[in-house]
Amino acid sequence: MKTYMILLFSVLILPCCLGVIENDISHMIMVTHDMVHLCIGTLTLHGLDGAETAVTEDVNIMRVTVERVVMEGCGCFTLHSRTRFRGRSYSLRTRGEHSRAKTGFGRVKSVKRVEC
């Protein structure tokens, strides 16, 4: 019962207090040892043209030629070389900067948030 109350608090009340009010609650909720917290991570794609694209949820169609990718916060993502999460993929499971050479491809056409 205690876990359910914490979960209810985390999903319904905590986002309002933090100002995270969205139409679609797409943030992961992690439960470990009776502790619940929202997992809000951001993936920032830095383009060759200097543009920055921040991603917090699935994007199935995009076209960004990246120089580097920076992951902040918690959560995991996969980059895909084709739209709708197809083609070659690269898993991002650690925070920090990932270079174009490290990912293996420069053009990102979709990004998916995945469980770690």
Side-chain angles (χ1 to χ4, degrees), residues 33-111:
H33 304 300
D34 289 337
M35 295 187 68
V36 177
H37 68 278
L38 291 174
C39 181
I40 304 171
T42 303
L43 186 67
T44 306
L45 307 170
H46 296 268
L48 288 175
D49 59 356
E52 293 182 5
T53 305
V55 177
T56 58
E57 55 190 30
D58 294 356
V59 179
N60 66 358
I61 299 175
M62 68 185 321
R63 180 178 224 141
V64 179
T65 302
V66 296
E67 176 183 1
R68 62 191 171 99
V69 178
V70 179
M71 190 167 84
E72 299 169 330
C74 62
C76 297
F77 295 88
T78 55
L79 303 176
H80 297 268
S81 64
R82 295 186 62 202
T83 60
R84 296 179 186 92
F85 320 116
R86 297 174 296 142
R88 289 178 291 152
S89 65
Y90 178 76
S91 295
L92 295 156
R93 299 196 179 278
T94 57
R95 282 179 274 168
E97 188 172 309
H98 302 264
S99 67
R100 179 180 182 157
K102 191 174 183 180
T103 62
F105 54 93
R107 187 172 294 148
V108 175
K109 292 190 177 178
S110 57
V111 176

Side-chain angles (χ1 to χ4, degrees), residues 10-23 27 38 40:
S10 296
V11 172
L12 298 177
I13 298 169
L14 189 59
C16 295
C17 296
L18 294 175
V20 184
I21 302 171
E22 297 180 328
N23 294 336
H27 305 296
L38 291 174
I40 304 171

